[in-house]
Amino acid sequence: FRSPDGAPAAPVTYGEIGGRTVAFMPRHGSAHTLPPHMINYRANISAMKQLGVQRIIGPNACGSLQAHVKPGDFVICDQFVDRTTGRKDTFYDGPQTTHVSSADPYCLTMRSVAVQTARELGISVHDSGTVVVIQGPRFSTRAESRWFASQGWEVINMTQYPECYLAREQEICYCNISLITDYDAGTAGAPPVTNDDVVRVFAENTQKIKDLLFAMIPVLPEERDCVCASALSSAEF
């Protein structure tokens, strides 16, 4: 696949889960060679659109900003806060003027299915949460982390923006699944996060992610009646 935005991060792999055709693309590239700030998010989402994808499930490794959100927990986020800089975060650079609402950036239908399915599987899951998206590749300072936590935000990550919003611009449903791998640096009593911590906890919980995806995908409704499916209807001038 190639679009005006260039090539996506990796070739797309196809499969079938519960009678549904599934396309998979690793956002960081096949060998995890793309750091968060270098991912071509527009090309990735454009490729999914060209394939006819209607729903995207976006699992990712995240840090916790709150003591009650523990490593190993899943958070199905309902809000994001963008703290990135310089990322190409819209398909509409003109001359067509388009303003897509992001008041509720994650698909409510998909979120509900994800939460219910996780609970049925016995996974420790939080049914909502705000993810603050930082530029990366560096982790936060303690001061930054304490600031984010003081706002009541639960999750910190480097890839959710603009990925989820670009999906909305293409009228693709998007569901975030945040796997908490560590406590962020400003969490009281927590040691500074290291990459080794992230990789270790993520690996320990990989099977949980697979179980959730394989159980969740077959029970998603056939028809989409959510706001995602018609996001452009009231956005174009």
Side-chain angles (χ1 to χ4, degrees):
F1 294 93
R2 182 167 290 276
S3 71
D5 303 301
V12 177
T13 303
Y14 300 94
E16 186 176 296
I17 298 175
R20 303 286 183 90
T21 301
V22 177
F24 171 73
M25 181 198 299
R27 65 169 67 85
H28 291 280
S30 300
H32 205 95
T33 53
L34 295 170
H37 67 297
M38 294 300 292
I39 295 171
N40 190 337
Y41 295 96
R42 290 203 305 194
N44 288 354
I45 297 299
S46 182
M48 290 297 181
K49 182 67 174 181
Q50 289 179 53
L51 286 170
V53 168
Q54 293 186 325
R55 294 183 170 111
I56 293 175
I57 303 173
N60 46 25
C62 299
S64 170
L65 295 165
Q66 307 295 337
H68 70 279
V69 181
K70 300 177 175 61
D73 287 359
F74 284 15
V75 181
I76 312 301
C77 290
D78 62 332
Q79 290 288 309
F80 70 75
V81 173
D82 172 32
R83 294 288 301 166
T84 65
T85 58
R87 298 185 181 186
K88 292 182 178 180
D89 59 358
T90 181
F91 288 101
Y92 297 100
D93 289 328
Q96 183 181 6
T97 303
T98 304
H99 301 281
V100 175
S101 172
S102 58
D104 297 297
Y106 297 104
C107 179
L108 178 59
T109 301
M110 293 186 73
R111 288 186 55 249
S112 298
V113 172
V115 171
Q116 180 178 339
T117 305
R119 287 174 175 164
E120 291 171 355
L121 293 173
I123 295 171
S124 178
V125 62
H126 302 263
D127 61 9
S128 63
T130 296
V131 53
V132 56
V133 190
I134 61 174
Q135 177 72 355
R138 73 169 177 86
F139 291 122
S140 300
T141 65
R142 291 186 189 276
E144 289 170 328
S145 184
R146 286 194 295 267
W147 172 39
F148 300 151
S150 73
Q151 303 305 303
W153 304 332
E154 290 85 2
V155 178
I156 186 166
N157 170 259
M158 297 179 187
T159 60
Q160 271 299 283
Y161 190 82
E163 185 173 279
C164 67
Y165 177 70
L166 289 171
R168 180 62 61 86
E169 281 198 341
Q170 295 294 330
E171 297 186 328
I172 300 173
C173 298
Y174 189 101
C175 179
N176 160 268
I177 300 175
S178 293
L179 167 58
I180 304 302
T181 58
D182 58 272
Y183 285 113
D184 206 48
T187 308
V193 59
T194 68
N195 191 63
D196 288 344
D197 294 333
V198 172
V199 172
R200 176 180 56 80
V201 178
F202 194 84
E204 290 172 355
N205 288 275
T206 297
Q207 189 59 48
K208 289 182 183 178
I209 296 174
K210 291 179 180 178
D211 291 344
L212 178 55
L213 295 179
F214 274 75
M216 175 185 171
I217 289 171
V219 297
L220 288 167
E222 289 282 352
E223 300 297 325
R224 296 192 301 155
D225 58 2
C226 52
V227 298
C228 323
S230 57
L232 294 175
S233 63
S234 59
E236 297 174 348
F237 280 75

